[in-house]
Amino acid sequence: MSQGWKVSLIVVAVAAIVSTPLLWLLGTPDAGQMAGASVQAATGVTALLWAVLCGSPAQVPARDEARRTGSAEARDGGHAVSGIKRPAGSAGTSASAEDTGHSTAHGSGKAVSGIDYS
């Protein structure tokens, strides 16, 4: 769960815990209102606990896998990647490259045999 969704869920859960049950209980509630307030408060507490205890995707490591990649050759200042190259900011994504072919870069070109993420 992303951080924004987690914060939103916590805010909604707190509002559900406090709002209607508080309004119902300030008056003279009958048995139905008391039951409704209890169910709504329990639902809010459950959502709050779930949001707080739920792990975020950033905690799961990305899984990259490169098998039997072809050769990548760079000449005259080119850049070559054989397999997987990860630029900054691509955390949380996964990639797989298998049975890729040969690639060649000349001059300022770039050769990638596999996955580059750029």
Side-chain angles (χ1 to χ4, degrees):
M1 174 183 296
S2 72
Q3 192 66 20
W5 278 105
K6 186 180 264 191
V7 170
S8 298
L9 186 58
I10 290 171
V11 168
V12 169
V14 168
I17 292 169
V18 174
S19 67
T20 306
L22 180 66
L23 293 174
W24 283 346
L25 297 177
L26 286 177
T28 54
D30 60 11
Q33 289 175 326
M34 185 65 87
S38 300
V39 169
Q40 187 170 355
T43 303
V45 169
T46 302
L48 181 62
L49 287 175
W50 180 73
V52 171
L53 298 177
C54 184
S56 68
Q59 296 171 341
V60 178
R63 180 183 166 127
D64 291 342
E65 196 170 340
R67 285 185 255 146
R68 298 184 299 277
T69 61
S71 61
E73 182 180 337
R75 296 182 193 153
D76 304 322
H79 179 74
V81 175
S82 177
I84 297 169
K85 175 186 165 282
R86 246 181 206 290
S90 62
T93 59
S94 295
S96 177
E98 187 171 347
D99 296 327
T100 62
H102 176 76
S103 60
T104 305
H106 298 278
S108 62
K110 183 178 190 177
V112 177
S113 177
I115 297 171
D116 188 9
Y117 281 127
S118 60

